[in-house]
Amino acid sequence: MCDLDWLSAGGSCAGLVVVTSSLPDEGKSLTSLSLARTAAKMGIKVLLVDGDIRRSSIAKKLGLTSDKALIDVLAGTVSLQDAVITDPRSTLQVLPGRTVNLKELDLVSLANGAESLFANLRNHYDLIIVDSPPILPVADVQVLANAADLTVFCVRWDKTPRQTALTAIRMLQDIQATLAGVLLTRVDYSRHAGYGYQDAGYYYARYRSYYAD
């Protein structure tokens, strides 16, 4: 298994990281894009895959459109080279998604196609980041997390119920996904500072104006 030394050393190790959450609207897509852009700006060859084929959003966040997508590559109707687009703000390459009808999906075929695709991608990229569907509403994430070296789990601050997050984490554990950690997203720093936890968010809210002057 890849040890993902790219994060600190910028090495050539090929790694596959899946980013997911319990439910929609927890910030996983923006997190995926931010991680991928940051890595690309470090000089790492990165591919961001929009794996949320029921609710694709990465191309829209980039201000791009494409008539070729991940689902077409998996179906064998479009080549990977023809489907990949480039982020206008970095060297990041993106395999966009396209929202498809639930009846069009065959999870067995999806699993087989994804396994083959990811094996191929590891030969061409240092890092592959996959924006996955949320865990609880659909089963697709099980296919993606099983193929990944690491899974990043996003939890929306002050919104996601504790039991909901725990249920999703248990599901990841059940499929033996390697959990890199839990990322707190969409934090309201002003409200957070009022709770008096005095962690990094507390000091950011209190002193950011000092450093902005």
Side-chain angles (χ1 to χ4, degrees):
M1 175 180 290
C2 174
D3 60 7
L4 296 181
D5 283 342
W6 58 268
L7 185 60
S8 58
S12 60
C13 177
L16 177 63
V17 178
V18 163
V19 181
T20 189
S21 60
S22 304
L23 301 168
D25 203 29
E26 294 199 67
K28 64 177 181 59
S29 297
L30 188 57
T31 296
S32 300
L33 178 56
S34 297
L35 287 174
R37 269 185 173 161
T38 299
K41 290 180 178 180
M42 291 169 60
I44 298 167
K45 190 175 182 181
V46 188
L47 178 70
L48 174 58
V49 179
D50 190 341
D52 193 348
I53 54 180
R54 289 180 173 83
R55 195 180 179 186
S56 301
S57 64
I58 295 297
K60 183 178 180 180
K61 291 181 187 301
L62 294 173
L64 300 173
T65 58
S66 176
D67 58 354
K68 302 175 180 67
L70 169 64
I71 196 71
D72 303 311
V73 176
L74 292 176
T77 58
V78 170
S79 70
L80 177 65
Q81 291 76 15
D82 288 340
V84 168
I85 56 178
T86 301
D87 174 19
R89 293 175 52 185
S90 71
T91 59
L92 171 66
Q93 293 188 306
V94 178
L95 178 54
R98 185 182 70 246
T99 302
V100 298
N101 189 293
L102 296 180
K103 294 180 181 179
E104 296 180 54
L105 297 179
D106 177 347
L107 284 182
V108 174
S109 297
L110 180 64
N112 293 335
E115 183 178 359
S116 176
L117 174 62
F118 290 144
N120 180 40
L121 292 177
R122 287 176 183 273
N123 294 323
H124 296 90
Y125 293 92
D126 299 325
L127 173 65
I128 305 126
I129 294 179
V130 182
D131 176 28
S132 162
I135 297 170
L136 298 183
V138 295
D140 305 16
V141 67
Q142 298 181 33
V143 173
L144 300 173
N146 277 330
D149 296 308
L150 293 174
T151 298
V152 175
F153 182 67
C154 296
V155 176
R156 184 172 175 178
W157 178 79
D158 203 33
K159 183 73 173 180
T160 307
R162 175 185 176 88
Q163 193 56 49
T164 298
L166 288 174
T167 298
I169 289 174
R170 289 191 188 103
M171 290 178 69
L172 287 172
Q173 292 173 334
D174 287 344
I175 61 173
Q176 299 183 329
T178 302
L179 190 63
V182 176
L183 183 65
L184 212 54
T185 64
R186 304 182 68 170
V187 178
D188 183 328
Y189 285 110
S190 296
R191 288 180 56 209
H192 179 278
Y195 291 161
Y197 294 136
Q198 299 193 20
D199 59 7
Y202 171 83
Y203 291 107
Y204 174 85
R206 289 202 61 179
Y207 296 107
R208 63 179 174 177
S209 61
Y210 174 84
Y211 287 100
D213 292 341

PDB file of all heavy atoms in Angstrom, residues 195-211:
ATOM      1  N   TYR A 195     -18.139  29.974  22.005  1.00  0.00           N
ATOM      2  CA  TYR A 195     -18.279  28.796  22.854  1.00  0.00           C
ATOM      3  C   TYR A 195     -17.137  28.672  23.851  1.00  0.00           C
ATOM      4  O   TYR A 195     -17.220  27.903  24.805  1.00  0.00           O
ATOM      5  CB  TYR A 195     -18.339  27.524  22.000  1.00  0.00           C
ATOM      6  CG  TYR A 195     -19.604  27.388  21.180  1.00  0.00           C
ATOM      7  CD1 TYR A 195     -19.661  26.531  20.089  1.00  0.00           C
ATOM      8  CD2 TYR A 195     -20.753  28.117  21.501  1.00  0.00           C
ATOM      9  CE1 TYR A 195     -20.817  26.401  19.327  1.00  0.00           C
ATOM     10  CE2 TYR A 195     -21.907  27.996  20.748  1.00  0.00           C
ATOM     11  CZ  TYR A 195     -21.942  27.144  19.673  1.00  0.00           C
ATOM     12  OH  TYR A 195     -23.083  27.020  18.924  1.00  0.00           O
ATOM     13  N   GLY A 196     -16.053  29.403  23.621  1.00  0.00           N
ATOM     14  CA  GLY A 196     -14.952  29.419  24.574  1.00  0.00           C
ATOM     15  C   GLY A 196     -14.086  28.179  24.597  1.00  0.00           C
ATOM     16  O   GLY A 196     -13.438  27.889  25.605  1.00  0.00           O
ATOM     17  N   TYR A 197     -14.011  27.430  23.476  1.00  0.00           N
ATOM     18  CA  TYR A 197     -13.162  26.239  23.451  1.00  0.00           C
ATOM     19  C   TYR A 197     -11.677  26.586  23.455  1.00  0.00           C
ATOM     20  O   TYR A 197     -10.836  25.806  23.854  1.00  0.00           O
ATOM     21  CB  TYR A 197     -13.474  25.385  22.212  1.00  0.00           C
ATOM     22  CG  TYR A 197     -14.847  24.783  22.211  1.00  0.00           C
ATOM     23  CD1 TYR A 197     -15.626  24.805  21.067  1.00  0.00           C
ATOM     24  CD2 TYR A 197     -15.365  24.186  23.359  1.00  0.00           C
ATOM     25  CE1 TYR A 197     -16.894  24.240  21.050  1.00  0.00           C
ATOM     26  CE2 TYR A 197     -16.627  23.621  23.353  1.00  0.00           C
ATOM     27  CZ  TYR A 197     -17.392  23.655  22.193  1.00  0.00           C
ATOM     28  OH  TYR A 197     -18.640  23.102  22.185  1.00  0.00           O
ATOM     29  N   GLN A 198     -11.332  27.780  22.952  1.00  0.00           N
ATOM     30  CA  GLN A 198      -9.955  28.277  22.894  1.00  0.00           C
ATOM     31  C   GLN A 198      -9.017  27.343  22.131  1.00  0.00           C
ATOM     32  O   GLN A 198      -7.878  27.128  22.532  1.00  0.00           O
ATOM     33  CB  GLN A 198      -9.424  28.566  24.309  1.00  0.00           C
ATOM     34  CG  GLN A 198     -10.246  29.636  25.015  1.00  0.00           C
ATOM     35  CD  GLN A 198      -9.589  30.183  26.263  1.00  0.00           C
ATOM     36  OE1 GLN A 198      -8.387  30.054  26.439  1.00  0.00           O
ATOM     37  NE2 GLN A 198     -10.362  30.795  27.128  1.00  0.00           N
ATOM     38  N   ASP A 199      -9.526  26.812  21.022  1.00  0.00           N
ATOM     39  CA  ASP A 199      -8.667  26.078  20.103  1.00  0.00           C
ATOM     40  C   ASP A 199      -8.289  27.020  18.964  1.00  0.00           C
ATOM     41  O   ASP A 199      -8.431  28.244  19.091  1.00  0.00           O
ATOM     42  CB  ASP A 199      -9.348  24.810  19.595  1.00  0.00           C
ATOM     43  CG  ASP A 199     -10.664  25.100  18.876  1.00  0.00           C
ATOM     44  OD1 ASP A 199     -10.972  26.296  18.662  1.00  0.00           O
ATOM     45  OD2 ASP A 199     -11.374  24.151  18.526  1.00  0.00           O
ATOM     46  N   ALA A 200      -7.797  26.489  17.846  1.00  0.00           N
ATOM     47  CA  ALA A 200      -7.349  27.341  16.751  1.00  0.00           C
ATOM     48  C   ALA A 200      -8.474  28.224  16.207  1.00  0.00           C
ATOM     49  O   ALA A 200      -8.246  29.381  15.850  1.00  0.00           O
ATOM     50  CB  ALA A 200      -6.773  26.472  15.626  1.00  0.00           C
ATOM     51  N   GLY A 201      -9.699  27.678  16.144  1.00  0.00           N
ATOM     52  CA  GLY A 201     -10.824  28.449  15.650  1.00  0.00           C
ATOM     53  C   GLY A 201     -11.139  29.646  16.536  1.00  0.00           C
ATOM     54  O   GLY A 201     -11.498  30.723  16.060  1.00  0.00           O
ATOM     55  N   TYR A 202     -10.967  29.473  17.831  1.00  0.00           N
ATOM     56  CA  TYR A 202     -11.217  30.552  18.793  1.00  0.00           C
ATOM     57  C   TYR A 202     -10.255  31.708  18.552  1.00  0.00           C
ATOM     58  O   TYR A 202     -10.650  32.872  18.460  1.00  0.00           O
ATOM     59  CB  TYR A 202     -11.050  29.994  20.207  1.00  0.00           C
ATOM     60  CG  TYR A 202     -11.072  31.045  21.301  1.00  0.00           C
ATOM     61  CD1 TYR A 202     -12.278  31.515  21.811  1.00  0.00           C
ATOM     62  CD2 TYR A 202      -9.885  31.540  21.836  1.00  0.00           C
ATOM     63  CE1 TYR A 202     -12.300  32.460  22.829  1.00  0.00           C
ATOM     64  CE2 TYR A 202      -9.899  32.478  22.848  1.00  0.00           C
ATOM     65  CZ  TYR A 202     -11.101  32.946  23.341  1.00  0.00           C
ATOM     66  OH  TYR A 202     -11.110  33.872  24.344  1.00  0.00           O
ATOM     67  N   TYR A 203      -8.981  31.399  18.409  1.00  0.00           N
ATOM     68  CA  TYR A 203      -7.981  32.446  18.232  1.00  0.00           C
ATOM     69  C   TYR A 203      -8.058  33.070  16.842  1.00  0.00           C
ATOM     70  O   TYR A 203      -7.786  34.267  16.676  1.00  0.00           O
ATOM     71  CB  TYR A 203      -6.582  31.899  18.502  1.00  0.00           C
ATOM     72  CG  TYR A 203      -6.392  31.570  19.959  1.00  0.00           C
ATOM     73  CD1 TYR A 203      -6.352  30.252  20.403  1.00  0.00           C
ATOM     74  CD2 TYR A 203      -6.302  32.589  20.900  1.00  0.00           C
ATOM     75  CE1 TYR A 203      -6.215  29.954  21.745  1.00  0.00           C
ATOM     76  CE2 TYR A 203      -6.156  32.297  22.251  1.00  0.00           C
ATOM     77  CZ  TYR A 203      -6.114  30.976  22.673  1.00  0.00           C
ATOM     78  OH  TYR A 203      -5.980  30.689  23.998  1.00  0.00           O
ATOM     79  N   TYR A 204      -8.446  32.278  15.846  1.00  0.00           N
ATOM     80  CA  TYR A 204      -8.609  32.828  14.504  1.00  0.00           C
ATOM     81  C   TYR A 204      -9.686  33.903  14.505  1.00  0.00           C
ATOM     82  O   TYR A 204      -9.503  34.984  13.941  1.00  0.00           O
ATOM     83  CB  TYR A 204      -8.985  31.707  13.527  1.00  0.00           C
ATOM     84  CG  TYR A 204      -9.306  32.211  12.136  1.00  0.00           C
ATOM     85  CD1 TYR A 204      -8.285  32.437  11.212  1.00  0.00           C
ATOM     86  CD2 TYR A 204     -10.619  32.474  11.749  1.00  0.00           C
ATOM     87  CE1 TYR A 204      -8.566  32.907   9.928  1.00  0.00           C
ATOM     88  CE2 TYR A 204     -10.912  32.951  10.484  1.00  0.00           C
ATOM     89  CZ  TYR A 204      -9.879  33.165   9.578  1.00  0.00           C
ATOM     90  OH  TYR A 204     -10.176  33.635   8.330  1.00  0.00           O
ATOM     91  N   ALA A 205     -10.806  33.618  15.126  1.00  0.00           N
ATOM     92  CA  ALA A 205     -11.906  34.577  15.151  1.00  0.00           C
ATOM     93  C   ALA A 205     -11.540  35.835  15.923  1.00  0.00           C
ATOM     94  O   ALA A 205     -11.909  36.947  15.546  1.00  0.00           O
ATOM     95  CB  ALA A 205     -13.145  33.932  15.763  1.00  0.00           C
ATOM     96  N   ARG A 206     -10.772  35.687  16.999  1.00  0.00           N
ATOM     97  CA  ARG A 206     -10.444  36.826  17.853  1.00  0.00           C
ATOM     98  C   ARG A 206      -9.365  37.725  17.255  1.00  0.00           C
ATOM     99  O   ARG A 206      -9.401  38.940  17.427  1.00  0.00           O
ATOM    100  CB  ARG A 206      -9.983  36.348  19.228  1.00  0.00           C
ATOM    101  CG  ARG A 206     -11.099  35.753  20.077  1.00  0.00           C
ATOM    102  CD  ARG A 206     -10.750  35.797  21.550  1.00  0.00           C
ATOM    103  NE  ARG A 206     -10.567  37.173  22.003  1.00  0.00           N
ATOM    104  CZ  ARG A 206     -10.274  37.499  23.278  1.00  0.00           C
ATOM    105  NH1 ARG A 206     -10.117  36.552  24.176  1.00  0.00           N
ATOM    106  NH2 ARG A 206     -10.112  38.737  23.622  1.00  0.00           N
ATOM    107  N   TYR A 207      -8.401  37.138  16.555  1.00  0.00           N
ATOM    108  CA  TYR A 207      -7.222  37.909  16.167  1.00  0.00           C
ATOM    109  C   TYR A 207      -7.002  38.064  14.670  1.00  0.00           C
ATOM    110  O   TYR A 207      -6.017  38.659  14.251  1.00  0.00           O
ATOM    111  CB  TYR A 207      -5.968  37.262  16.795  1.00  0.00           C
ATOM    112  CG  TYR A 207      -5.996  37.320  18.300  1.00  0.00           C
ATOM    113  CD1 TYR A 207      -6.228  36.174  19.025  1.00  0.00           C
ATOM    114  CD2 TYR A 207      -5.831  38.519  18.964  1.00  0.00           C
ATOM    115  CE1 TYR A 207      -6.274  36.206  20.425  1.00  0.00           C
ATOM    116  CE2 TYR A 207      -5.869  38.569  20.358  1.00  0.00           C
ATOM    117  CZ  TYR A 207      -6.093  37.412  21.076  1.00  0.00           C
ATOM    118  OH  TYR A 207      -6.136  37.457  22.447  1.00  0.00           O
ATOM    119  N   ARG A 208      -7.915  37.568  13.831  1.00  0.00           N
ATOM    120  CA  ARG A 208      -7.683  37.668  12.393  1.00  0.00           C
ATOM    121  C   ARG A 208      -7.630  39.125  11.925  1.00  0.00           C
ATOM    122  O   ARG A 208      -6.889  39.459  11.001  1.00  0.00           O
ATOM    123  CB  ARG A 208      -8.746  36.909  11.620  1.00  0.00           C
ATOM    124  CG  ARG A 208     -10.164  37.437  11.774  1.00  0.00           C
ATOM    125  CD  ARG A 208     -11.130  36.626  10.933  1.00  0.00           C
ATOM    126  NE  ARG A 208     -12.508  37.030  11.192  1.00  0.00           N
ATOM    127  CZ  ARG A 208     -13.545  36.526  10.555  1.00  0.00           C
ATOM    128  NH1 ARG A 208     -13.349  35.587   9.650  1.00  0.00           N
ATOM    129  NH2 ARG A 208     -14.763  36.933  10.815  1.00  0.00           N
ATOM    130  N   SER A 209      -8.396  40.017  12.558  1.00  0.00           N
ATOM    131  CA  SER A 209      -8.366  41.425  12.156  1.00  0.00           C
ATOM    132  C   SER A 209      -7.018  42.066  12.467  1.00  0.00           C
ATOM    133  O   SER A 209      -6.559  42.956  11.755  1.00  0.00           O
ATOM    134  CB  SER A 209      -9.483  42.195  12.865  1.00  0.00           C
ATOM    135  OG  SER A 209      -9.316  42.152  14.274  1.00  0.00           O
ATOM    136  N   TYR A 210      -6.352  41.600  13.504  1.00  0.00           N
ATOM    137  CA  TYR A 210      -5.026  42.110  13.866  1.00  0.00           C
ATOM    138  C   TYR A 210      -4.032  41.878  12.739  1.00  0.00           C
ATOM    139  O   TYR A 210      -3.241  42.748  12.384  1.00  0.00           O
ATOM    140  CB  TYR A 210      -4.547  41.430  15.150  1.00  0.00           C
ATOM    141  CG  TYR A 210      -3.125  41.766  15.544  1.00  0.00           C
ATOM    142  CD1 TYR A 210      -2.842  42.925  16.258  1.00  0.00           C
ATOM    143  CD2 TYR A 210      -2.081  40.927  15.198  1.00  0.00           C
ATOM    144  CE1 TYR A 210      -1.534  43.231  16.617  1.00  0.00           C
ATOM    145  CE2 TYR A 210      -0.762  41.222  15.545  1.00  0.00           C
ATOM    146  CZ  TYR A 210      -0.516  42.368  16.261  1.00  0.00           C
ATOM    147  OH  TYR A 210       0.786  42.690  16.613  1.00  0.00           O
ATOM    148  N   TYR A 211      -4.075  40.686  12.134  1.00  0.00           N
ATOM    149  CA  TYR A 211      -3.131  40.337  11.067  1.00  0.00           C
ATOM    150  C   TYR A 211      -3.592  40.844   9.712  1.00  0.00           C
ATOM    151  O   TYR A 211      -2.824  40.841   8.755  1.00  0.00           O
ATOM    152  CB  TYR A 211      -2.915  38.831  11.025  1.00  0.00           C
ATOM    153  CG  TYR A 211      -2.084  38.369  12.197  1.00  0.00           C
ATOM    154  CD1 TYR A 211      -2.666  37.796  13.317  1.00  0.00           C
ATOM    155  CD2 TYR A 211      -0.710  38.547  12.178  1.00  0.00           C
ATOM    156  CE1 TYR A 211      -1.901  37.404  14.408  1.00  0.00           C
ATOM    157  CE2 TYR A 211       0.076  38.152  13.269  1.00  0.00           C
ATOM    158  CZ  TYR A 211      -0.531  37.580  14.374  1.00  0.00           C
ATOM    159  OH  TYR A 211       0.237  37.203  15.434  1.00  0.00           O
TER     160      TYR A 211
END
